Amino acid sequence: MNSRQRFRLKLGTIASQIESHRLEHFKFLCKDSIPEGDMERISSPEALFIELEHRMLLGPNQVEFVRQCLIQVGRKDLASSLLGVMKSI
């Protein structure tokens, strides 16, 4: 399994653990990076991660923004988990 695949698997695991109320808070934190019209169509953590990747705010070597958002929405465990996968890549 290559590093991109490991990164995708970790994002999938993280996305599955983000509750809907935390997703709304996460989206709020991204308002300066994603225009309102694009934000309205995001209804899942996976869609948000895809949009952040598209805007070059998330990638195998670029996780700090998402890590900080996870901390802000009260999921320090997921932020740590994301750092853990970075060390293994």
Side-chain angles (χ1 to χ4, degrees):
M1 183 180 321
N2 67 36
S3 61
R4 182 60 126 171
Q5 290 169 324
R6 282 195 305 270
F7 179 69
R8 281 263 174 249
L9 287 173
K10 179 52 73 176
L11 285 181
T13 300
I14 289 171
S16 71
Q17 296 178 57
I18 297 175
E19 304 91 342
S20 60
H21 69 282
R22 293 185 199 270
L23 175 61
E24 291 307 311
H25 188 189
F26 201 137
K27 288 170 56 175
F28 171 78
L29 296 172
C30 296
K31 284 187 83 114
D32 291 336
S33 303
I34 302 173
E36 187 73 29
D38 293 336
M39 190 67 80
E40 288 176 2
R41 65 181 172 76
I42 295 173
S43 61
S44 69
E46 293 87 352
L48 180 57
F49 290 161
I50 289 168
E51 190 63 34
L52 290 170
E53 282 184 300
H54 176 71
R55 295 180 184 281
M56 300 173 77
L57 293 168
L58 177 61
N61 297 311
Q62 190 170 11
V63 299
E64 188 57 25
F65 177 73
V66 170
R67 192 180 78 76
Q68 289 299 318
C69 288
L70 288 168
I71 290 168
Q72 289 298 312
V73 302
R75 293 306 306 259
K76 290 180 184 178
D77 59 323
L78 297 179
S80 295
S81 176
L82 186 57
L83 276 185
V85 77
M86 295 310 302
K87 291 177 183 176
S88 69
I89 292 179

